[in-house]
Each structure stands twice: as structure tokens, then as C-alpha cells.
Amino acid sequence: MRGILGKFPVISVSLKGVSGINFDEAKAMLRGIIGTEALRFERILQKDRLSETDYQQYKQLIMLDNNGEFAITDS
């Protein structure tokens, strides 16, 4: 375990501020929080630092939809 300590970025997200009139609004707010935080570490997208699977999953975290909102899926 000590061999990997400090080698991977850790993204900490608080759900304290997530709210909404309904579930969909709260989910959209959560997507925004996760996407914005993931963008702070966009530099890790250098392919030599990630496996292809990790690279594709990270790209999905920061992908935007046609409305300019984060398009993170539920699955």
C-alpha cells in the first residue's frame, strides 16, 4: 500500500450543498460539482499516465452535453 501512496490524485467532493426542488435538479447540481472538480485535474488526461479504461472514464466526467452542462450518466 505504501508503494502507491501519493501517486494518484484524490478528488474530494462534499455533497453538503447539493439541493433541488426535485431529484432531477439535485442530480444536475451533483453532476456540476463532480464535473467542475474533475476539470481541476484535467492534466492527468495525458494518456501515458492512465490506462485506456481510466482515460475514457475520466473523459466522461468532463464531457458536456448540447446545453453546456456536464453529461455524466447515471450508470
Side-chain angles (χ1 to χ4, degrees), residues 11-50:
I11 298 174
S12 178
V13 176
S14 172
L15 305 179
K16 184 173 102 174
V18 176
S19 63
I21 295 174
N22 56 43
F23 180 74
D24 288 332
E25 283 188 16
K27 193 165 54 169
M29 183 179 271
L30 181 58
R31 282 186 186 117
I33 290 169
I34 292 170
T36 300
E37 192 63 22
L39 277 174
R40 290 184 46 218
F41 296 93
E42 191 174 17
R43 66 186 175 276
I44 69 169
L45 281 176
Q46 298 168 4
K47 280 196 165 197
D48 59 325
R49 298 183 70 185
L50 297 173

Side-chain angles (χ1 to χ4, degrees), residues 1-9:
M1 188 67 138
R2 288 182 181 236
I4 62 171
L5 190 63
K7 292 189 177 185
F8 300 96

